[in-house]
Amino acid sequence: MNPDTRKYNETQWPSDEEICHKLAVEINRGLPNAMNKIWHAHPVWFIDGNPIVGYGKLKNCIRLMFWSGQSFETDGLKKTGSFKAAEIRFTSVEDIDPKQLARWLKESMLVQWDYKNIVKRKGRLDRLL
């Protein structure tokens, strides 16, 4: 696990730290070739410089977000923002379904929108895969 992600997880309340740790382990398992770093103050995983998945602390939960999640066929994510992102929120580690998370992670490698170049394209989002 990226040391900065580990440090981020360790700064959370114990129950949230447990959620964050579980998510990081499962994401690393599901996206073994993705690069993980802290981006905009939260752990995010990238493939070829394109953000794929990340999580962060909200007031009363940990939010897991897939940048291209609105285009996934696997159910369980809710639309967030004005582009193609979708999320799920967790309040306990028991809320995490590892099999469903693995399906989303697999799909995140197959379905991607080009967030890396959104500024260069003046807000236009193009499908990569």
Side-chain angles (χ1 to χ4, degrees):
M1 182 181 313
N2 179 306
D4 293 333
T5 295
R6 184 182 319 277
K7 192 179 298 181
Y8 175 91
N9 294 349
E10 291 171 353
T11 66
Q12 307 305 315
W13 290 101
S15 60
D16 291 336
E17 178 183 0
E18 190 177 11
I19 295 167
C20 291
H21 178 74
K22 176 73 171 174
L23 290 173
V25 167
E26 295 298 328
I27 294 168
N28 284 329
R29 180 179 294 134
L31 300 176
N33 297 320
M35 185 202 60
N36 169 230
K37 67 179 180 179
I38 300 297
W39 190 52
H40 298 286
H42 303 286
V44 176
W45 282 256
F46 296 80
I47 295 177
D48 294 329
N50 200 40
I52 303 300
V53 63
Y55 59 81
K57 172 71 176 145
L58 298 180
K59 185 176 180 179
N60 60 355
C61 66
I62 300 295
R63 174 178 62 178
L64 177 68
M65 188 174 83
F66 287 90
W67 268 255
S68 300
Q70 287 183 34
S71 300
F72 292 179
E73 291 183 13
T74 305
D75 291 333
L77 298 172
K78 293 184 180 181
K79 177 181 176 178
T80 186
S82 58
F83 291 103
K84 300 292 183 184
E87 67 176 31
I88 187 168
R89 297 178 181 200
F90 303 108
T91 57
S92 76
V93 74
E94 289 82 19
D95 294 340
I96 301 169
D97 178 347
K99 289 181 182 178
Q100 187 173 40
L101 180 53
R103 287 190 293 270
W104 290 324
L105 292 167
K106 184 176 182 180
E107 202 160 357
S108 75
M109 290 185 287
L110 304 172
V111 177
Q112 291 181 32
W113 289 85
D114 188 9
Y115 283 92
K116 179 172 79 172
N117 294 303
I118 196 169
V119 172
K120 182 169 72 174
R121 293 192 176 115
K122 300 180 181 172
R124 190 182 83 235
L125 198 56
D126 292 337
R127 181 118 181 214
L128 292 173
L129 304 170

